[in-house]
């Protein structure tokens, strides 16, 4: 016969309701009390009845909220596929996933989405944050005051009470790009950086990693920028034109975000495609085509679908059976490809 909630309550010296809240992350309970109850349950060999828990989830309409920023970019469209896959799994076990798609990067829209999720009664939130003090304060408020755990994905907020992060190690990605660029341009000359949003922590960390590695390994490379294109191809083209006019001796461009087509079109217009070495991110959209044409020299990829799928499932496992995440930082693998390693059978999101 399995260990019961009542037995755990007696061993912990608390009520059965307190044990239920601790094991199911429901309601207010002191973190240290919840941790002690979960430890006692584990030591006693408690195994939750998953079918019963699924029925309970259905009865109580437990919900997981997802806030996806820059939702219309090619990368986030692939992240969305992972979210939809997780949603199907959660739905099949009686839970609900509420998705809020923000087409751009916006502090106010993110705050509104968080409040909407709270009013809808979500038990947890997976979200793409931005580097704003109001967002940080709101994440801490939700975790500490409302007892709503939050997992960040794609972009992180390390100095908050979020549960964990799922996504690329963006700083390391920038370092990898710097190493590639340094070799491409022979360790000297002018290299420009074009990014999406200064408020996006992931993109900012790519820039920081790129800059710091160049200073250490290639001090004779002069960094130009960064310029910001707000992940828009037209604005990326304008930024590229400005850089080319001001720096006719430019040797390379590192594109940290969506907007690659705009950059490549402008390089072609000025007859610099191929001669200006270009490194971009993600295996999707027209990036492989641009690489085959010789405009992009290296692509640095990450697992978009995992970034959508895993945050939802981490929160589901937490709510479903009290399973804590395996680590605070769950980095996806960094992949590097050039024209010789382009898979022949590849869909929009880079999945074979």
């Amino acid at each position: 016969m399995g260990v019961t909630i009542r037995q755990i309550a007696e061993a912990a010296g608390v009520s059965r309701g307190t044990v239920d809240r601790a094991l199911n992350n429901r309601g207010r309970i002191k973190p240290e009390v919840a941790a002690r109850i979960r430890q006692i349950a584990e030591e006693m060999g408690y195994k939750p009845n998953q079918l019963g828990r699924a029925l309970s989830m259905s009865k109580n309409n437990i919900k997981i909220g997802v806030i996806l920023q820059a939702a219309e970019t090619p990368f986030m469209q692939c992240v969305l596929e992972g979210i939809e896959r997780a949603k199907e799994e959660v739905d099949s076990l009686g839970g609900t996933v509420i998705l809020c798609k923000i087409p751009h990067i916006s502090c106010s829209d993110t705050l509104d989405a968080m409040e909407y999720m709270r009013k809808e009664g979500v038990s947890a939130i997976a979200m793409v944050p931005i580097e704003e003090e109001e967002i940080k304060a709101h994440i801490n408020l939700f975790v500490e005051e409302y007892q709503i755990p939050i997992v960040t994905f794609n972009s992180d907020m390390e100095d908050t009470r979020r549960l964990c992060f799922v996504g690329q190690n963006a700083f390391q990605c920038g370092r990898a790009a710097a190493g590639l660029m340094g070799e491409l341009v022979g360790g000297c000359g002018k290299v420009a950086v074009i990014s999406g949003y200064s408020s996006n922590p992931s993109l900012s960390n790519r820039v920081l990693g790129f800059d710091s590695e160049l200073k250490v390994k290639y001090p004779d490379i002069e960094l130009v920028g960064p310029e910001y294109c707000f992940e828009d191809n037209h604005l990326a083209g304008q930024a590229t034109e400005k850089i080319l006019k001001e720096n006719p001796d430019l040797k390379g461009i590192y594109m940290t975000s969506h907007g690659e087509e705009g950059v490549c079109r402008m390089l072609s217009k000025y007859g610099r495609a191929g001669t200006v070495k270009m490194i971009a991110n993600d295996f999707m959209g027209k990036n492989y085509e641009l690489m085959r044409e010789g405009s992009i020299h290296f692509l640095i990829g990450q697992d978009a679908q995992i970034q959508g799928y895993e945050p939802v499932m981490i929160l589901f496992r937490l709510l479903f059976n009290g399973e804590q995440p395996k680590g605070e930082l769950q980095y996806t693998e960094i992949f590097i490809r050039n024209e010789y390693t382009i898979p022949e059978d590849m869909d929009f999101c880079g999945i074979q």
Side-chain angles (χ1 to χ4, degrees), residues 265-302:
R265 279 199 299 267
M266 197 57 64
L267 287 174
S268 180
K269 175 181 175 181
Y270 280 81
R272 303 295 303 279
T275 58
V276 171
K277 309 303 181 183
M278 182 173 172
I279 297 172
N281 287 273
D282 300 322
F283 310 146
M284 58 191 58
K286 292 188 176 181
N287 281 354
Y288 279 139
E289 180 181 331
L290 294 170
M291 183 180 281
R292 288 191 180 97
E293 293 173 356
S295 296
I296 295 177
H297 296 78
F298 283 98
L299 285 172
I300 302 177
Q302 55 185 320

Side-chain angles (χ1 to χ4, degrees), residues 187-317:
C188 62
K190 292 182 178 179
V191 171
V193 174
I194 301 176
S195 193
Y197 293 83
S198 61
S199 59
N200 182 307
S202 178
L203 300 181
S204 296
N205 280 329
R206 285 178 181 173
V207 175
L208 287 174
F210 188 77
D211 182 37
S212 65
E213 190 70 7
L214 287 182
K215 287 177 179 176
V216 172
K217 293 286 184 66
Y218 305 99
D220 291 329
I221 290 180
E222 180 184 343
L223 193 64
V224 177
E227 297 285 340
Y228 294 96
C229 69
F230 307 100
E231 304 205 66
D232 179 88
N233 277 310
H234 178 69
L235 294 178
Q238 289 184 334
T240 304
E241 185 170 35
K242 174 177 179 290
I243 291 169
L244 290 174
K245 287 181 177 180
E246 295 176 355
N247 304 275
D249 54 345
L250 188 75
K251 296 180 71 173
I253 292 177
Y254 174 40
M255 183 71 197
T256 75
S257 69
H258 175 60
E260 308 91 342
E261 292 178 57
V263 174
C264 292
R265 279 199 299 267
M266 197 57 64
L267 287 174
S268 180
K269 175 181 175 181
Y270 280 81
R272 303 295 303 279
T275 58
V276 171
K277 309 303 181 183
M278 182 173 172
I279 297 172
N281 287 273
D282 300 322
F283 310 146
M284 58 191 58
K286 292 188 176 181
N287 281 354
Y288 279 139
E289 180 181 331
L290 294 170
M291 183 180 281
R292 288 191 180 97
E293 293 173 356
S295 296
I296 295 177
H297 296 78
F298 283 98
L299 285 172
I300 302 177
Q302 55 185 320
D303 198 327
Q305 291 201 21
I306 285 295
Q307 291 188 35
Y309 174 84
E310 194 56 27
V312 177
M313 298 311 299
I314 285 171
L315 290 171
F316 174 74
R317 291 189 290 266

Side-chain angles (χ1 to χ4, degrees), residues 8-303:
I8 297 171
E10 291 175 351
V14 298
S15 69
R16 282 179 287 179
T18 300
V19 172
D20 179 72
R21 288 194 295 275
L23 297 181
N24 296 291
N25 295 281
R26 287 199 290 263
R28 296 187 180 182
I29 180 172
K30 292 182 178 179
E32 60 271 22
V33 174
R36 184 167 63 87
I37 291 171
R38 286 194 288 267
Q39 182 178 354
I40 291 172
E42 183 177 352
E43 291 172 351
M44 295 178 70
Y46 174 69
K47 301 291 184 183
N49 183 320
Q50 290 202 345
L51 178 59
R53 195 174 299 279
L55 292 173
S56 174
M57 287 180 68
S58 178
K59 180 180 178 180
N60 292 291
N61 197 25
I62 292 176
K63 302 173 183 177
I64 297 173
V66 180
I67 300 173
L68 184 68
Q69 297 212 62
E72 295 182 354
T73 63
F75 180 79
M76 288 304 185
Q77 286 294 305
C78 297
V79 172
L80 182 60
E81 291 186 15
I83 294 171
E84 294 292 350
R85 185 157 58 92
K87 182 179 184 302
E88 290 180 7
E89 290 192 31
V90 172
D91 288 347
S92 70
L93 284 169
T96 302
V97 174
I98 300 176
L99 174 62
C100 180
K101 294 187 287 185
I102 301 173
H104 40 266
I105 297 288
S106 168
C107 178
S108 60
D109 287 353
T110 302
L111 294 173
D112 289 344
M114 293 178 74
E115 286 299 328
Y116 168 76
M117 296 293 184
R118 185 172 69 89
K119 291 176 182 178
E120 287 294 308
V122 300
S123 305
I125 294 175
M127 64 180 292
V128 179
I130 59 174
E131 192 68 36
E132 295 285 352
E133 291 302 319
E134 287 183 272
I135 300 295
K136 293 179 181 179
H138 235 57
I139 290 175
N140 291 336
L141 175 68
F142 271 54
V143 174
E144 295 170 353
E145 181 68 22
Y146 304 143
Q147 300 292 301
I148 298 176
I150 290 178
V151 170
T152 57
F153 64 99
N154 186 253
S155 295
D156 194 17
M157 284 288 190
E158 290 187 61
D159 53 344
T160 65
R161 295 295 303 276
R162 59 96 174 97
L163 183 64
C164 67
F165 165 70
V166 178
Q168 185 186 67
N169 184 334
F171 187 83
Q172 196 70 3
C173 172
R175 292 185 65 207
L180 293 170
M181 184 64 77
E183 296 303 310
L184 282 173
V185 301
C188 62
K190 292 182 178 179
V191 171
V193 174
I194 301 176
S195 193
Y197 293 83
S198 61
S199 59
N200 182 307
S202 178
L203 300 181
S204 296
N205 280 329
R206 285 178 181 173
V207 175
L208 287 174
F210 188 77
D211 182 37
S212 65
E213 190 70 7
L214 287 182
K215 287 177 179 176
V216 172
K217 293 286 184 66
Y218 305 99
D220 291 329
I221 290 180
E222 180 184 343
L223 193 64
V224 177
E227 297 285 340
Y228 294 96
C229 69
F230 307 100
E231 304 205 66
D232 179 88
N233 277 310
H234 178 69
L235 294 178
Q238 289 184 334
T240 304
E241 185 170 35
K242 174 177 179 290
I243 291 169
L244 290 174
K245 287 181 177 180
E246 295 176 355
N247 304 275
D249 54 345
L250 188 75
K251 296 180 71 173
I253 292 177
Y254 174 40
M255 183 71 197
T256 75
S257 69
H258 175 60
E260 308 91 342
E261 292 178 57
V263 174
C264 292
R265 279 199 299 267
M266 197 57 64
L267 287 174
S268 180
K269 175 181 175 181
Y270 280 81
R272 303 295 303 279
T275 58
V276 171
K277 309 303 181 183
M278 182 173 172
I279 297 172
N281 287 273
D282 300 322
F283 310 146
M284 58 191 58
K286 292 188 176 181
N287 281 354
Y288 279 139
E289 180 181 331
L290 294 170
M291 183 180 281
R292 288 191 180 97
E293 293 173 356
S295 296
I296 295 177
H297 296 78
F298 283 98
L299 285 172
I300 302 177
Q302 55 185 320
D303 198 327

Side-chain angles (χ1 to χ4, degrees), residues 334-349:
I334 294 174
F335 304 95
I336 297 174
R337 285 186 175 146
N338 62 13
E339 62 178 312
Y340 302 105
T341 58
I342 301 174
E344 293 183 2
D345 184 18
M346 185 67 64
D347 68 10
F348 178 81
C349 288

